[in-house]
Amino acid sequence: MKTIYRFFGAICMSCSMMSCSHFLDEQVPQATLTQDEVKQPEYIDNVLISAYAGLLSFEDMNASFSLWNYDTRSDDAYVGGSSFSDGEPFHRLEKGVGVATDDWPFNSIWEKLYKYLSRVSLSLDVLASSDQENATIQQRTAEMKFLRAYGHFQLKRLFKKIPFVNKLNMTEEDYMNLSNTEYTNDEGWQQIINDLEDAYNVLPVTQAEKGRPTKAACAAFLAKVYLYKAYHQDDANSNQVTSVNTEELSKVVEYTNASIYNGYGLEPDLHSNFRPEEQYENGRESIWAIQYSKNDGTVYGNLNFSNRLIVPCIPKVHDSGCDFYKPSHNLVNAYRTNSDGLPMLETTAEKDYTVGSGETVDPRLFIAVGVPGTPYMFNTSFMINETNAWSRSGGLYGYYVSLKQNVDPALTDIYLFLCDSQWASSMNRIVLRYADVLLMRAEALAQLGQTTEAIALVNQVRDRAAGMMINSMVANYPNKYGVHFAVGKYNGSYSKDETMKIVKMERRLELAMESERFFDLVRWGDAANVINKFYSTESEKMNFLAGSQFTANKNEYLPIPKEQIAASNGHYSQNCGQW
């Protein structure tokens, strides 16, 4: 199922496609392909596998393609680790102060994503020289355009001003002359959309191999990019949302139409999306996921190394756990519900929620966050408590732990592996899931004034949460741990502004700790207000946040790395904000 991510034989082609020396030209090593053979449909996957493998081989725990490291700027999570000096540039980033253009995390993720894009570009060059009438070549070209869109999308929401690697057969001179201001912000989003719309017209409804994008995956991705594009930020001296485009919102509605997603739906238990067992991976809610694997002939397997810093330190189990990406008190309190079972949209908690209190909460809390008084990864052998066993920093970053990226310690050496003194798993990472599609559609409809339809979609997601009170990994928590669940539906009519507040909160609750929160806040234009309010309330109990400040028209995006500007021959310009 995961063979397309295995890097077999792709390096051979890089030699067979280059002109080396006369001696090498005369030699034809066994198990390699000639320049003409590699273009044939039956062999073309030997090139494309390298592009797919780049989704795994170029990222690492410090520059994860999930972008969790960069989501710690939001109100959902703290960076964590052992101390402020542990991953210090990320801690400066989460505080919004002291950030420098030569901080290593910025150049690291930039380089890794462009290295990935270079493999995709090579694949598209080879495909362009193949038989354009062949259906296999057409489909593989569509897949590569999808992957190219993914790389550019990740870069764009991180850096805003980026150079686009979107032309065929680029020469060294072409690369040297790339500019990160060739397109306006709006035009940049359109470049990504162009690739995805080309792909959508070709991609099949189903794929034999999991991990290859389908028509539904492309539609979901198109909806997401159109949603980002709809919130216009085209003033070069500002990151403010200047307008919300209704035509682009209509495109979100078009690409989230239920008819596109036949066979997809919500899992009865949210946790089923975050389990490594084969019977759960690539389930009905997973529209497109990065495929990791084990026991595939490589040293460690193509394991998920991107989340290995998130594992907590559990004595005699995860002794080397690094304990990063710690859920915030603010996030935990967001799951509190009122007498109608609805989230408290405007209320700031006077004190933090604790297990055993009389307060009611949404059961999704315990899928996203490991809370003291409950079991880690639903395994009662590992009860979370407020001791240093559950906080590598001695409580500096609190005692909550992230659950969605982690695996039950009982599955060690089955789906969880100790590799080079740190932990990795074979669990897939879902990039696009059906709940996100429903909420993107709800958001677009809300902005278009179709509030009744938007609320109905939010209630679909809440229906699943309500069902989890009876049928889920946490359904027994009321009896065992004294928690109280309550999930209600929204009833009645709501204004556009009220509906948008509801949608925004539902996205937070549903997608918590999936690295979407910070980027949502930026595209809505809410980042400065929300994050500065978070700093002011959270710093009272989390001392390390004292002195934090989110600077509008600066901190929404990372600075263009100093190394990249220095090497750009004057073709790159810095983001606004006086970096």
Side-chain angles (χ1 to χ4, degrees):
M1 291 172 62
K2 301 185 179 184
T3 53
I4 61 169
Y5 285 82
R6 298 175 190 167
F7 187 74
F8 62 83
I11 341 186
C12 298
M13 271 161 338
S14 61
C15 283
S16 66
M17 293 169 60
M18 285 189 279
S19 186
C20 300
S21 69
H22 177 69
F23 170 77
L24 290 176
D25 287 343
E26 291 178 347
Q27 307 305 309
V28 182
Q30 294 183 358
T32 63
L33 300 171
T34 68
Q35 195 166 8
D36 288 332
E37 287 175 329
V38 79
K39 299 175 187 176
Q40 298 174 20
E42 61 267 35
Y43 298 128
I44 198 70
D45 276 346
N46 290 334
V47 177
L48 309 191
I49 286 168
S50 175
Y52 277 104
L55 290 168
L56 281 65
S57 60
F58 283 130
E59 74 165 350
D60 64 24
M61 61 189 182
N62 294 309
S64 169
F65 285 3
S66 75
L67 306 188
W68 71 262
N69 322 59
Y70 302 92
D71 184 49
T72 54
R73 292 173 285 175
S74 78
D75 51 351
D76 270 9
Y78 320 122
V79 172
S82 64
S83 66
F84 193 77
S85 63
D86 193 5
E88 185 175 351
F90 285 111
H91 284 289
R92 293 199 297 269
L93 193 63
E94 79 172 326
K95 292 186 66 172
V97 294
V99 180
T101 61
D102 58 357
D103 284 345
W104 63 261
F106 311 148
N107 197 54
S108 179
I109 190 69
W110 178 289
E111 286 191 342
K112 289 178 185 300
L113 283 166
Y114 275 109
K115 284 179 180 178
Y116 156 72
L117 282 171
S118 72
R119 288 194 181 182
V120 178
S121 293
L122 171 64
S123 299
L124 284 165
D125 289 346
V126 176
L127 285 161
S129 64
S130 304
D131 179 8
Q132 299 301 294
E133 301 300 317
N134 184 275
T136 298
I137 298 299
Q138 292 172 359
Q139 181 175 317
R140 296 299 184 253
T141 299
E143 292 175 24
M144 291 301 105
K145 287 189 174 183
F146 180 98
L147 295 188
R148 183 167 68 181
Y150 178 69
H152 283 138
F153 174 75
Q154 295 285 65
L155 283 158
K156 184 138 184 60
R157 62 181 184 163
L158 282 170
F159 294 99
K160 192 176 186 180
K161 289 183 181 178
I162 64 167
F164 281 82
V165 186
N166 57 359
K167 299 175 179 64
L168 293 171
N169 301 310
M170 293 180 67
T171 64
E172 183 176 352
E173 183 178 359
D174 291 330
Y175 283 108
M176 295 298 290
N177 289 312
L178 280 173
S179 167
N180 72 337
T181 56
E182 179 181 1
Y183 305 105
T184 65
N185 187 54
D186 191 57
E187 289 168 346
W189 289 121
Q190 189 60 47
Q191 300 309 303
I192 300 172
I193 287 168
N194 290 345
D195 269 346
L196 290 172
E197 287 185 334
D198 286 349
Y200 181 75
N201 292 329
V202 176
L203 286 171
V205 173
T206 61
Q207 291 271 24
E209 292 178 296
K210 302 297 183 183
R212 294 192 190 273
T214 61
K215 189 173 287 292
C218 200
F221 199 178
L222 270 165
K224 186 174 284 282
V225 181
Y226 267 117
L227 201 52
Y228 273 77
K229 186 174 186 284
Y231 294 85
H232 284 196
Q233 299 179 21
D234 269 331
D235 181 351
N237 300 312
S238 166
N239 295 326
Q240 298 304 301
V241 175
T242 56
S243 63
V244 182
N245 186 280
T246 56
E247 290 183 9
E248 286 149 5
L249 292 171
S250 295
K251 283 291 188 180
V252 178
V253 175
E254 175 185 340
Y255 285 113
T256 54
N257 189 291
S259 63
I260 299 172
Y261 300 93
N262 290 327
Y264 294 99
L266 299 175
E267 296 279 2
D269 185 354
L270 174 62
H271 179 54
S272 296
N273 293 298
F274 309 100
R275 298 189 67 163
E277 300 96 325
E278 288 81 0
Q279 65 267 35
Y280 294 103
E281 292 202 315
N282 301 303
R284 67 196 304 260
E285 195 166 341
S286 175
I287 298 175
W288 187 59
I290 306 299
Q291 308 287 309
Y292 296 95
S293 61
K294 61 190 179 74
N295 303 324
D296 56 11
T298 60
V299 176
Y300 293 126
N302 284 300
L303 297 174
N304 183 344
F305 288 92
S306 63
N307 291 332
R308 63 197 312 205
L309 288 179
I310 302 175
V311 178
C313 186
I314 307 174
K316 300 182 181 180
V317 179
H318 288 160
D319 295 283
S320 59
C322 292
D323 200 31
F324 283 86
Y325 204 29
K326 301 283 281 184
S328 72
H329 291 80
N330 188 283
L331 174 63
V332 170
N333 289 327
Y335 284 95
R336 296 156 65 242
T337 56
N338 62 21
S339 58
D340 295 320
L342 297 174
M344 302 177 190
L345 300 178
E346 304 290 347
T347 304
T348 300
E350 293 183 4
K351 61 179 182 178
D352 294 329
Y353 170 77
T354 57
V355 167
S357 73
E359 290 187 280
T360 57
V361 291
D362 187 313
R364 288 175 292 182
L365 164 62
F366 300 104
I367 302 299
V369 182
V371 182
T374 63
Y376 173 65
M377 296 311 305
F378 319 102
N379 187 329
T380 54
S381 297
F382 309 104
M383 296 299 295
I384 304 170
N385 56 56
E386 293 190 0
T387 68
N388 290 354
W390 296 99
S391 178
R392 185 166 164 243
S393 65
L396 178 63
Y397 305 113
Y399 298 96
Y400 303 128
V401 296
S402 181
L403 297 184
K404 287 182 176 178
Q405 300 85 359
N406 286 315
V407 172
D408 184 352
L411 299 178
T412 299
D413 296 328
I414 303 173
Y415 299 103
L416 180 67
F417 304 89
L418 185 61
C419 310
D420 293 333
S421 300
Q422 288 179 319
W423 296 88
S425 78
S426 60
M427 182 170 66
N428 286 356
R429 176 170 64 82
I430 298 178
V431 178
L432 297 163
R433 63 182 178 93
Y434 188 67
D436 194 5
V437 171
L438 292 175
L439 293 174
M440 287 191 291
R441 185 176 180 84
E443 182 178 336
L445 289 170
Q447 288 283 22
L448 291 169
Q450 300 177 46
T451 57
T452 302
E453 297 91 329
I455 292 295
L457 291 163
V458 169
N459 281 336
Q460 280 191 47
V461 178
R462 294 189 64 76
D463 278 343
R464 189 256 297 276
M468 290 169 58
M469 295 190 291
I470 300 171
N471 180 26
S472 74
M473 291 293 288
V474 299
N476 64 349
Y477 277 29
N479 290 331
K480 295 194 72 171
Y481 309 114
V483 304
H484 301 275
F485 292 146
V487 181
K489 286 187 178 184
Y490 290 97
N491 296 304
S493 60
Y494 299 88
S495 69
K496 175 180 171 179
D497 287 346
E498 289 170 334
T499 304
M500 278 302 299
K501 286 181 181 179
I502 288 168
V503 171
K504 288 176 180 181
M505 175 59 89
E506 203 62 31
R507 280 192 69 82
R508 187 183 193 192
L509 300 177
E510 178 64 25
L511 303 175
M513 306 302 289
E514 295 180 47
S515 308
E516 290 291 317
R517 175 65 172 172
F518 179 79
F519 303 104
D520 279 347
L521 291 173
V522 170
R523 83 181 158 78
W524 291 327
D526 293 347
N529 288 337
V530 169
I531 295 173
N532 280 325
K533 182 179 179 182
F534 166 70
Y535 289 153
S536 66
T537 57
E538 202 86 349
S539 61
E540 295 175 4
K541 47 187 168 260
M542 307 305 290
N543 293 333
F544 76 94
L545 287 175
S548 298
Q549 176 66 43
F550 188 98
T551 301
N553 300 319
K554 178 177 182 178
N555 292 132
E556 292 90 351
Y557 296 95
L558 302 179
I560 308 303
K562 180 179 179 180
E563 297 92 330
Q564 298 303 322
I565 288 183
S568 72
N569 296 315
H571 295 300
Y572 291 179
S573 68
Q574 187 54 271
N575 282 320
C576 66
Q578 299 180 345
W579 288 101

